Structures are given as C-alpha cells and as structure tokens.
Amino acid sequence: MSTMIFHPAFLSGEADVPPAKSEAHRALLLAALGAGRCRLSGFDGPLCDDTQAMLNGVAALGGAWEREGGAVVVEPGAGRRSDLCEVKACAAALRMLIPVFWARGQAVRLRMSPALAARPLDAFVPLARALGARMEAVPCGESVCLELSGRMPAGDYEVDGAQSSQFASGLLIALSHATDGGGAPAPSTLRITGNISSRPYLDMTLRHMARFGVPAKETAPGVFALSPGRAVNPAALRVPGDWSQAAVLLCMNALGARIAVRGLETGTQGDERVAQVLGDMGLCVSGEGGLWRAERAGDLKPVTVDCTDIPDIAPILALALTQARGRSVLRGVGRLRIKECDRLSATSELLTRLGARVSAQEDTLTIEGPTRLRGGFEADARGDHRVVMLLAAAACAADGPIAVSGAECISKSWPGFAGTYRQLGGIAL
C-alpha cells in the first residue's frame, strides 16, 4: 500500500482528462460484438484499470485489440474466446458483460477483487433463475470468481432499473445481439421496472447502440424493442474526455485554483451538469473553443442539487460547497453507500476532518459554509479512487498537507492523475 502526500499549493493552467470510462465501456463492448475493425481514438496516456477490465472482456469474447498511437483498435472475432476474464474492481464491466456472455451461451469465470464481489448483483438474480443459468461466486485465490453458464435466447425480459442503470445497459447491448434457438438474430423486448437510476447513462448506451447499427426503440416508458442484426462497426469513433474527472479540476476552482479543461464534449455525459452547478454557485463558467473554465469572482452561493443521476460527482461538489456562504443540500446520494466504499459516509467523515460542518442522512448530504479547510492529517483512501481525488483537491486549499494511504487505487480511473496534478502546480510526494 502506497502513501501519497498532497501539500497546499496554487494550481493553474490547462489540462486534459482521461477518456470517459462510461463511453469507452459501451464502445468497446459494442465493437467486440459487431463486424469489422473499429478504431476508437481519445486514449492518450496510460489505460486505467476499468478500461483494461472491459478490454479483457473484449478478448474473452474472442475479439482482438491493440494500441495504435492514441487509439485502441478492436477487431471482433480475430482472437480466441477464453473461459477466464479479469474484471478487476470494475462494476460496469462486470454488470455489462454478464448478460453478453449469457446471450453468447459462453461459460466463463469473471475474476474480480473481493470488494467488487461484495457489491450487489441482485438485479440479475431473477433473470438467472428464469434462464436456469448459473451465476455463482466462488473463492479464487486472493480474488473471487463469478462462474457463469447458461444461455439467454432472444425473447421478452425485464430488469429492475432502480439499483444501477448498468444492469439495463448490459441487457440492452446483449439483447441487441441475441439469437433464437437456431442461432439466427431475433427480436427481443426489455422492460425496465422501477425508477431508472442514472437515466443519462442509459441514454448514453442507446446513443452508442445507434452508432453501432443496433438501435433500440422505446415503445413505452422503460420498454425497449430490439431488432438484432450483425451490424458493421463504424470505422472510427472518438471517445471524449470524462466529465466526472473534469469535475474534480473545475471544482478546485471554487477553492481558489484557476484550471481550464480540454477535450470535453457536451450532450453525451450526465456529469457535465457540474458546469451548471458551479454556475449556480456564482462561478463564471464558459466552454469557448472547447476549453472549459470556472472562474471565481467573489463569494459563492449555496445550492440544492439532485444528484440521483450524477452520483459520481457528488463528493467533489460537496467539497466545493464547503466554500459557499450558507446551507447547501445534495439529494439523491444514498447510492453512494454501495460504491467502492461507503462513499457517502467517507465524504461526510473526511469533510468533517477538514473542518467542514456536514450532516449525512439516508439520501441527503447537508453542507454549511464557508469553511477554512484544515490539513495536517493522514487518511485511508478506502480503496476508492474518488476519495483520493477528493483529498488531493482539498489539500490545495488546506492549511497543511494531507497524507493519503492506499493512493494507488487512483489507477482504477485516472492513472495519470498525479502527473496532471503536478503539471498544474500541485505538490504530490
């Protein structure tokens, strides 16, 4: 376990962020299931663990991939299928791959970290039972293996969408390539029950499916008709920068930094709402020429934000709101309890250690500001990459350094984070 010490510093300048994991996952999986070579650009820098997990899925499904400059090139069917797939700690890869392997009728062991194995797969339990399929977690050395077998033919299915949209996204992609008993592509229907969690991510799945020639039609709210066919992959597609990572840098501006972010697109990721929230707080937000800025010009205003569809950026928003004058409320944050750690409790406890006045309830987080941030302590990352980024951002404006043990978990989403942080003037030792 490594410890990284972040020191108070003024950060400024322009920065790139990694490609959006959520978009990369969908594009990579669809490319592996389609026909023809597909070049996905936007992968400058090292690949994060979560992207590597989906690439392992591509390989297990029989696809081949390679790095080509700042791109990942996928060739479906050019490799050999495998009965072992390492998904590491990536919940998105796990939840999207399970129904795809069932649709293929391909038995496989998905090897994962114990922390990921502890996260729920309840949404798939009724489906496994209806299919007579196997989905069983077994010890696998220091890891856990989820053993899958069985087949999911084309047909009519439903899934609970309240826990995570990743289950529904995986089923939409799988059923868009499903076949009948004779192996021919056949239509299916998916009904998503309950309140659809993080609907923007489901919409992202639908957009990517359309790009890869397997569109779904929403015939009624939460009901999707799919007409599979072996579509030809787009020859090239760009994966834009990740708004959830950009949110870390832009929210640091509320703490006194002056950082601008390149490589982002609008209209594709729900987390771009960070720009609206920062604007509501009183920062001057602009994206002229593809360079996103959020400049502080005075006192910040408190806000109330529904984070149901943007849970990943709730912790960094909470940190920014410690600098607003008055009471801010983040709602719809209960799902943070089932992330890499209990992220809601972690955020509340760490902001309290920083000197903030916060209160976490079942589904809300209340922040009273402004707060002069205190450093001079050591904290455990709890195996959560977003905890590392939260503390690194806080340290810049704190009155002393913050040591973060277990900081290596940052590789899950942004292995180049420390380098970008230092490039902007941050001190990370």
Side-chain angles (χ1 to χ4, degrees), residues 29 43 48 54 71 81 85 96 114 124 129 133 138 196 337 375:
L29 184 54
F43 290 89
C48 71
M54 186 56 84
R81 294 187 184 186
C85 178
M96 291 185 193
F124 282 152
R129 188 179 301 119
V138 299
I196 300 176
R337 296 192 185 278

Side-chain angles (χ1 to χ4, degrees), residues 4 63 80 100 117 163 166 193 199 215 226 238 280 302 307 323 327 334 344 367 395 411 421 428:
M4 185 167 289
R80 297 180 61 183
V100 169
Q163 191 178 107
Q166 292 166 352
T193 62
R199 175 70 199 227
L226 302 111
R238 180 180 179 275
D280 292 343
C307 296
Q323 304 307 300
R327 174 177 294 184
L344 180 57
I367 307 103
S411 65
Y421 189 86

